[in-house]
Amino acid sequence: RITVTFNINNSIPPSADEETQEEQKPDEQEPDLTSTPNFVVEVIKDDTKQTLVLDCHYPEDEVGHEGEEESDIFTIREVSFQPTGESDWKDTNYTLNTDSLDWALYDHLMDFLADRGVDNTFADELIELSTALEHQEYIKFLEDLKSFVKCQ
């Protein structure tokens, strides 16, 4: 069983440098804000008591490069095993940071995810869903803020 979780909070990357904004012509349209949340993939097998947990994220320099078919648009940041069925993960369980991981093993982990449907297509669809949810929540926040500060 595969479970993917993500949080839209803080998922909009910071705006472009102010220098770039100053150079922008007044009639140019603002770039669309896109939500690129970190996400966690949990792989649970019925016959084990452990869950394989892969913490993934979208590197800022990779987002928006649609033409590059060979490149992955997300990366695996950390990998760990956690007890199946536990709602709180144990910080004491060994967590492997992929910066120090052999590239061949990293590629096998990416293939493992792709074989289970977590690939570039999934990652693009997650961006679309997250962006839509973030915009919806932003509008609701503005409406709630307006109601809150409205003088009676």
Side-chain angles (χ1 to χ4, degrees), residues 53 80-84 86-95:
V53 178
S80 68
F81 281 104
Q82 297 293 337
T84 299
E86 303 250 342
S87 59
D88 292 328
W89 292 340
K90 296 181 179 174
D91 290 336
T92 55
N93 286 4
Y94 179 72
T95 300

Side-chain angles (χ1 to χ4, degrees), residues 2-55:
I2 309 291
T3 304
V4 177
T5 56
F6 66 98
N7 187 335
I8 60 172
N9 289 333
N10 302 312
S11 65
I12 304 278
S15 300
D17 296 328
E18 289 186 25
E19 190 176 297
T20 308
Q21 291 175 355
E22 290 172 6
E23 293 172 7
Q24 189 176 16
K25 295 182 179 113
D27 58 340
E28 287 182 14
Q29 189 176 3
E30 288 283 323
D32 289 336
L33 296 178
T34 304
S35 172
T36 52
N38 295 342
F39 60 99
V40 175
V41 180
E42 297 176 50
V43 183
I44 303 166
K45 293 175 96 178
D46 290 334
D47 58 344
T48 66
K49 293 182 172 144
Q50 292 182 314
T51 298
L52 178 63
V53 178
L54 301 109
D55 183 14

Side-chain angles (χ1 to χ4, degrees), residues 55-83:
D55 183 14
C56 303
H57 78 287
Y58 296 92
E60 287 183 36
D61 57 346
E62 293 294 326
V63 175
H65 296 153
E66 282 95 20
E68 301 172 12
E69 203 61 36
E70 294 296 315
S71 166
D72 292 311
I73 64 170
F74 70 95
T75 61
I76 302 169
R77 184 182 308 177
E78 295 179 339
V79 182
S80 68
F81 281 104
Q82 297 293 337

Side-chain angles (χ1 to χ4, degrees), residues 113-126:
L113 287 177
D115 289 346
R116 285 148 185 82
V118 181
D119 54 10
N120 280 352
T121 302
F122 172 85
D124 279 333
E125 291 173 356
L126 181 66

